[in-house]
Amino acid sequence: MYSLNDKIKNLQPYEPVEENYRIRLDANESFLALPEGMISEIGTELKNVVLNRYPDPTARELCKAFAELYALPVECVVAGNGSDELISVIMSGFLKKGEKYATLEPDFSMYSFYGNICEAEHIRIEKNADLQIDIDTSINLCKNNDVKLLIFSNPCNPTSLGVSKAEVKKLLLALPETLIALDEAYMEFWHESMVDELSNYSNLIILKTCSKAFGLAGIRLGFAASSKQIIDAIKAVKSPYNVNSLTQAVGRVVLSHKDEISKAIGKLLASANELHDGMIKLAEKSGTWKILDGHTNFVSVLMPNAENFLSYMQSSGVSIRYTCGLIRITCGTAEENKEVLRLAEEYLA
Ligand SMILES: *Cc1c(COP(=O)(O)O)cnc(C)c1O
């Protein structure tokens, strides 16, 4: 009789949140729809997509648009079917079976998920009690364990906290033989990106996603930026037609509208600040809640009995996340934020 192997037999399929919430603030998506003008431009582009042919395997025009946006050489960029796919490709390509990779916990759960699949050994480095990264401890543990790949998000999901460029540089310089995959999924909401420093380090890969600040979670699109040598290796490891033609067309249009992108990020930031400030006031009232001082489009909260708060919100029709001991609320429209704050106040009362 056939039986599943050890690494997959206890895995559970990813369970998305059910659809019946009136307000969805659980996945850090953008709450903004694309502007009308862009939608019609996308319509025109989609009509010209040749559906009976395979997509461009290197997504050249799409990568060009991305490279221009970030002032990078196009040969230093590769596109993926979401940055999730790139995480998977990087971990399975750059780690051999049994080799060690490190994460800085708590962090994005997909890192250990893909590490497990490629049978690498996971070194879990705990963050400080205040949930900040301890750079010196991280360096020492990576060195002592011969860690081949260190992957972390900055700013971090789920903590919302960020680590400065100076600290990231310290890591890169202290671990020249470790590949450092820096997941900047939320860096559009902060200003400590390492993109402009990429050419100074041979051990740095930066990951970007279109699912958050760019408002394109539905098309599954992400990018990796690194040296030409590393990008060529990723291109060789990935499946050839990983980004479909429809996604390439939509991505090309959206990424070429720099001004619209900045405008959208401005709106998302304003919403995040509004939610953050409202939660700070409630935290003062509560005496026990702690709002983390974040740099993302979500607000992370430490509170006693977080499960109760989670079920209170859910039973009121609002979907949020409770993960790694943190309540995580994605910012939404003005009305959605208001409703969340009203319910949170009601819960406190
Ligand atoms: C959302 C998220 C991603 C996933 O991005 P996709 O491009 O949608 O796969 C990657 N990393 C972090 C830290 C995220 O929060």
Side-chain angles (χ1 to χ4, degrees):
M1 199 182 105
Y2 183 76
S3 55
L4 294 171
N5 71 38
D6 291 344
K7 71 178 179 184
I8 64 166
K9 75 177 174 213
N10 294 320
L11 289 182
Q12 298 295 324
Y14 183 78
E15 274 190 36
V17 173
E18 284 177 49
E19 289 303 318
N20 56 3
Y21 291 100
R22 72 194 154 94
I23 298 181
R24 288 283 310 270
L25 300 174
D26 56 78
N28 299 342
E29 298 142 316
S30 166
F31 61 86
L32 295 169
L34 295 177
E36 279 302 325
M38 236 192 266
I39 302 261
S40 59
E41 205 179 316
I42 286 169
T44 311
E45 287 294 314
L46 288 182
K47 272 184 215 148
N48 296 328
V49 172
V50 183
L51 291 174
N52 59 317
R53 298 293 177 186
Y54 282 109
D56 171 5
T58 59
R60 216 189 137 70
E61 291 303 314
L62 174 65
C63 286
K64 247 198 214 157
F66 178 85
E68 257 167 48
L69 196 60
Y70 288 95
L72 287 166
V74 69
E75 63 272 18
C76 294
V77 170
V78 61
N81 186 11
S83 60
D84 243 79
E85 185 205 18
L86 293 167
I87 296 166
S88 162
V89 167
I90 288 165
M91 297 194 81
S92 57
F94 291 83
L95 287 170
K96 294 199 274 187
K97 182 176 169 176
E99 281 186 343
K100 292 173 185 149
Y101 72 99
T103 59
L104 311 177
E105 298 295 323
D107 205 343
F108 190 48
S109 59
M110 296 314 287
Y111 307 147
S112 50
F113 173 83
Y114 291 121
N116 172 57
I117 296 285
C118 64
E119 297 182 77
E121 189 181 328
H122 189 184
I123 305 293
R124 296 171 60 95
I125 300 175
E126 297 298 325
K127 285 177 171 150
N128 285 332
D130 61 2
L131 296 175
Q132 296 278 7
I133 293 172
D134 185 327
I135 294 290
D136 292 323
T137 303
S138 304
I139 290 171
N140 287 335
L141 286 170
C142 286
K143 275 192 180 153
N144 296 344
N145 287 291
D146 190 24
V147 163
K148 299 292 184 202
L149 173 79
L150 167 65
I151 184 163
F152 65 100
S153 57
N154 187 37
C156 170
N157 172 17
T159 68
S160 76
L161 301 172
V163 49
S164 70
K165 270 172 97 161
E167 302 252 70
V168 174
K169 286 185 202 174
K170 196 169 163 190
L171 268 179
L172 286 160
L173 289 172
L175 301 168
E177 276 152 45
T178 304
L179 185 60
I180 299 191
L182 181 61
D183 185 347
E184 293 193 349
Y186 300 94
M187 193 53 89
E188 277 56 50
F189 304 114
W190 202 30
H191 48 69
E192 295 289 310
S193 176
M194 285 294 292
V195 164
D196 57 346
E197 298 267 352
L198 201 52
S199 59
N200 299 333
Y201 301 93
S202 68
N203 56 334
L204 173 62
I205 303 181
I206 296 176
L207 292 164
K208 294 273 184 188
T209 175
C210 292
S211 303
K212 313 285 158 61
F214 296 87
L216 294 175
I219 69 168
R220 309 303 302 125
L221 180 60
F223 294 89
S226 186
S227 67
K228 181 174 185 301
Q229 183 197 26
I230 286 176
I231 292 302
D232 284 346
I234 296 174
K235 285 178 181 166
V237 176
K238 76 177 184 68
S239 70
Y241 304 114
N242 59 326
V243 180
N244 72 70
S245 305
L246 301 170
T247 292
Q248 290 192 29
V250 178
R252 271 195 323 261
V253 172
V254 174
L255 294 178
S256 63
H257 286 277
K258 195 172 184 163
D259 292 348
E260 297 284 2
I261 291 171
S262 319
K263 249 192 249 167
I265 292 170
K267 287 182 194 168
L268 294 171
L269 271 175
S271 161
N273 286 335
E274 183 182 79
L275 182 63
H276 188 263
D277 293 351
M279 290 300 288
I280 291 270
K281 289 201 188 96
L282 293 178
E284 281 163 9
K285 221 174 189 179
S286 77
T288 54
W289 292 7
K290 185 173 172 356
I291 312 302
L292 300 190
D293 192 9
H295 306 284
T296 52
N297 66 333
F298 58 87
V299 175
S300 301
V301 190
L302 280 166
M303 62 168 75
N305 306 315
E307 298 91 343
N308 293 347
F309 181 74
L310 176 73
S311 5
Y312 189 79
M313 296 305 269
Q314 286 175 337
S315 60
S316 311
V318 178
S319 178
I320 59 172
R321 280 270 292 182
Y322 174 49
T323 177
C324 307
L326 286 162
I327 289 288
R328 196 192 72 191
I329 312 173
T330 309
C331 70
T333 64
E335 297 74 43
E336 288 172 336
N337 287 347
K338 231 166 125 186
E339 179 64 357
V340 164
L341 293 170
R342 185 187 71 77
L343 287 168
E345 188 164 18
E346 199 174 88
Y347 170 83
L348 278 178

